[in-house]
Amino acid sequence: MSKILIVDDEIQIRSLLARMLELEGYEVCQAGDCKAAVKQLEVQSPDVVLCDVFLPDGNGVDLVLNIKKQAPNVEVILLTAHGNIPDGVQAIKNGAFDYITKGDDNNKIIPLISRAAEKARMNVRLEKLEKKVGQMYSFDSILGESKVLKEAISLAQKVSVTDVPVLLTGETGTGKEVFAQAIHYNSKRSKQNFVAVNCSSFSKELLESEMFGHKAGSFTGALKDKKGLFEEANNGTIFLDEIGEMAFELQAKLLRILETGEYIKIGDTKPTRVNVRIIAATNRNLQEEIKEGCFREDLFYRLSVFQVHLPALRERAGDISILAAAFAKSFSEKLSYSISEMTPAFLEALEKQSWKGNIRELRNVIERSLIVCEGGRLDICDLPLEIQNTHYECSDDSAEGFELAAMERRHIARVLEYTKGNKTETARLLKIGLTTLYRKIEEYKI
């Protein structure tokens, strides 16, 4: 049950209020002036403060500011014998939950404290959630020890405390959205919305409506006004992924937002103002796109005030084992499946891959390997066939690579991959009996 601090210089009133609240199941502590209230705040950590306005050493309206500064999650209800509007207004401005008159509003106190206590509990839950989100999207959560990654993180950390536009470049799957979230949650806008939109996921018309909104009746099917994503991100950050896919006509609207903070919704005549930070990302060479007339040069220079290039996974092969271990731990928890180790052969096969899909592809491979794994030990046989084949091909410069059995194993594995595991079709293509195929699969542990 919640704890209530009663602050009043009249002992009889404090005792009466304390008795009322204790009967309702609340834990109660008391103070007779501002100094004692501040001390009790430190010692008792109450959820709600029920405070008189006129105290021997100060004013309850002013005390609200000190309480909210010292303990932001605590809710304060002010009581006064002679209520007046200016005090009430100032109390709410200072952060008070409510301002009520003694005597007349006694029947309101218990329900009011109940609501204030619930809000205080919600404040604590929200703070814990924000802390968890902050940890989830901190730069420390970006895994890897390679020099190229550390350099990218260092640049992103430096720009996160500013408010300038950022352009993230790199191949698909390198973690551009993770970087964008880290920049947002380490900026002064961290408590505001982070809105992500993939510019390649929509047609030109739909993307314009999604990003900028529209007025009712502006086109067929526009039955009511729609807020765009820029409005949703107001005072926060908008992440424009695959910015190179944005239609040329929409680029002018985006440029206007960067220059003036304004845009016009579809079907509107008045501009809409927003205060939003833009982080854009692309896997294309935008300067080549400019030469081909597909991207505005003036927009490029506005977006790329600060560029951060994210390295491909093959450029940071030393990080693969770190990422693989993290993904295996995450997926094993979701699947309630214990993984004791990843064999050297398993990790070696991962490190020899080119990873065209980068971190996203590695994540998918680990998830798939975990599903087929038996015995809590990730081995090379748990990897997709194409990775197994590549691994054995890379080992062909050894004497084992020339063995007939090794060649036969790889060939059977390739045909199985081609037939998507259809053993009857595989046996037909290999021109061997189905029984023979099963025997060889068992023998070679394919």
Side-chain angles (χ1 to χ4, degrees):
M1 182 56 79
S2 301
K3 184 182 287 187
I4 314 299
L5 169 61
I6 301 172
V7 186
D8 199 306
D9 59 332
E10 295 185 38
I11 298 175
Q12 288 182 333
I13 291 178
R14 287 207 313 265
S15 300
L16 177 62
L17 288 171
R19 182 62 180 155
M20 285 171 54
L21 294 172
E22 284 169 349
L23 287 171
E24 293 293 327
Y26 292 105
E27 187 179 344
V28 178
C29 51
Q30 302 179 32
D33 54 36
C34 294
K35 186 177 180 181
V38 171
K39 182 68 176 175
Q40 289 285 68
L41 202 64
E42 294 175 1
V43 176
Q44 299 289 346
S45 300
D47 301 291
V48 179
V49 176
L50 190 60
C51 181
D52 190 16
V53 170
F54 299 104
L55 296 166
D57 57 347
N59 186 290
V61 176
D62 298 327
L63 181 61
V64 175
L65 275 176
N66 294 333
I67 291 173
K68 296 302 281 188
K69 185 176 180 180
Q70 185 176 334
N73 294 332
V74 173
E75 293 300 330
V76 185
I77 298 170
L78 286 178
L79 294 171
T80 180
H82 308 286
N84 63 77
I85 293 173
D87 269 359
V89 171
Q90 189 59 50
I92 300 302
K93 282 184 178 179
N94 288 358
F97 183 79
D98 210 339
Y99 177 93
I100 62 174
T101 306
K102 291 179 182 177
D104 295 342
D105 293 333
N106 281 348
N107 60 330
K108 297 180 181 177
I109 288 177
I110 298 301
L112 192 59
I113 285 177
S114 177
R115 293 198 301 273
E118 177 56 36
K119 187 168 186 291
R121 288 193 292 271
M122 192 180 298
N123 292 341
V124 172
R125 289 196 294 268
L126 185 60
E127 184 180 50
K128 288 179 179 177
L129 182 60
E130 287 177 346
K131 187 175 181 182
K132 186 177 180 181
V133 168
Q135 290 171 344
M136 187 186 302
Y137 296 118
S138 71
F139 285 105
D140 292 336
S141 68
I142 300 174
L143 300 175
E145 297 296 332
S146 60
K147 184 181 178 182
V148 284
L149 179 68
K150 292 293 185 186
E151 287 172 353
I153 291 173
S154 176
L155 285 173
Q157 284 176 317
K158 288 174 183 175
V159 77
S160 66
V161 297
T162 73
D163 215 22
V164 301
V166 180
L167 179 63
L168 302 173
T169 61
E171 295 178 8
T172 298
T174 49
K176 294 188 281 293
E177 186 165 350
V178 172
F179 265 76
Q181 288 170 330
I183 291 169
H184 169 73
Y185 285 105
N186 287 273
S187 74
K188 61 186 180 183
R189 297 175 182 263
S190 61
K191 295 189 183 299
Q192 305 298 325
N193 285 347
F194 173 86
V195 177
V197 55
N198 190 318
C199 299
S200 66
S201 299
F202 303 94
S203 64
K204 171 189 169 295
E205 293 74 18
L206 190 54
L207 181 61
E208 183 174 13
S209 174
E210 287 294 317
M211 289 179 64
F212 306 113
H214 61 250
K215 299 295 286 183
S218 56
F219 55 86
T220 304
L223 302 177
K224 58 182 180 179
D225 290 357
K226 175 184 171 64
K227 284 177 70 174
L229 294 176
F230 270 94
E231 274 187 280
E232 295 290 347
N234 193 27
N235 296 318
T237 302
I238 190 164
F239 173 56
L240 303 176
D241 199 8
E242 305 296 352
I243 190 69
E245 305 280 347
M246 181 180 281
F248 196 82
E249 297 86 344
L250 296 186
Q251 294 174 25
K253 271 195 167 184
L254 181 57
L255 180 62
R256 184 179 179 188
I257 292 175
L258 284 161
E259 291 180 341
T260 68
E262 292 183 348
Y263 65 92
I264 297 177
K265 293 182 181 182
I266 301 171
D268 205 353
T269 55
K270 297 181 296 183
T272 299
R273 286 197 63 81
V274 288
N275 175 8
V276 62
R277 184 185 197 175
I278 295 175
I279 301 177
T282 183
N283 60 4
R284 294 187 175 191
N285 184 330
L286 292 185
Q287 289 177 318
E288 289 296 323
E289 297 289 312
I290 291 168
K291 289 178 184 176
E292 294 174 11
C294 298
F295 202 83
R296 293 181 64 113
E297 187 172 17
D298 46 5
L299 177 58
F300 171 74
Y301 288 118
R302 287 297 308 226
L303 286 173
S304 61
V305 173
F306 198 96
Q307 283 194 47
V308 180
H309 179 73
L310 307 193
L313 191 53
R314 62 182 171 277
E315 296 171 25
R316 40 183 290 223
D319 292 339
I320 289 174
S321 60
I322 297 172
L323 290 164
F327 292 145
K329 182 176 183 295
S330 174
F331 288 126
S332 63
E333 288 171 357
K334 287 181 182 178
L335 298 168
S336 300
Y337 190 77
S338 178
I339 293 295
S340 59
E341 68 167 316
M342 292 182 287
T343 67
F346 179 85
L347 292 172
E348 184 186 352
L350 294 180
E351 288 170 358
K352 285 181 177 178
Q353 288 301 295
S354 59
W355 298 113
K356 293 179 181 178
N358 291 292
I359 299 170
R360 188 180 297 130
E361 184 185 358
L362 173 63
R363 183 178 184 275
N364 293 342
V365 164
I366 297 298
E367 183 176 19
R368 184 261 181 204
S369 298
L370 215 70
I371 291 169
V372 302
C373 170
E374 294 179 0
R377 184 171 178 264
L378 284 170
D379 204 348
I380 191 166
C381 60
D382 301 315
L383 289 167
L385 288 173
E386 64 270 20
I387 295 181
Q388 293 185 43
N389 292 342
T390 303
H391 172 72
Y392 287 115
E393 284 168 7
C394 291
S395 306
D396 276 357
D397 53 353
S398 64
E400 183 185 336
F402 296 106
E403 291 178 4
L404 184 61
M407 293 175 66
E408 185 177 49
R409 182 195 187 283
R410 287 199 301 276
H411 185 62
I412 293 172
R414 282 200 188 99
V415 179
L416 276 167
E417 182 185 1
Y418 174 77
T419 63
K420 295 182 172 55
N422 186 322
K423 295 179 180 61
T424 303
E425 179 65 9
T426 300
R428 188 186 69 78
L429 291 171
L430 289 170
K431 293 183 170 56
I432 61 175
L434 188 58
T435 304
T436 303
L437 175 63
Y438 273 103
R439 179 174 56 76
K440 289 185 179 291
I441 288 173
E442 180 68 25
E443 180 185 344
Y444 295 139
K445 293 182 171 57
I446 297 175

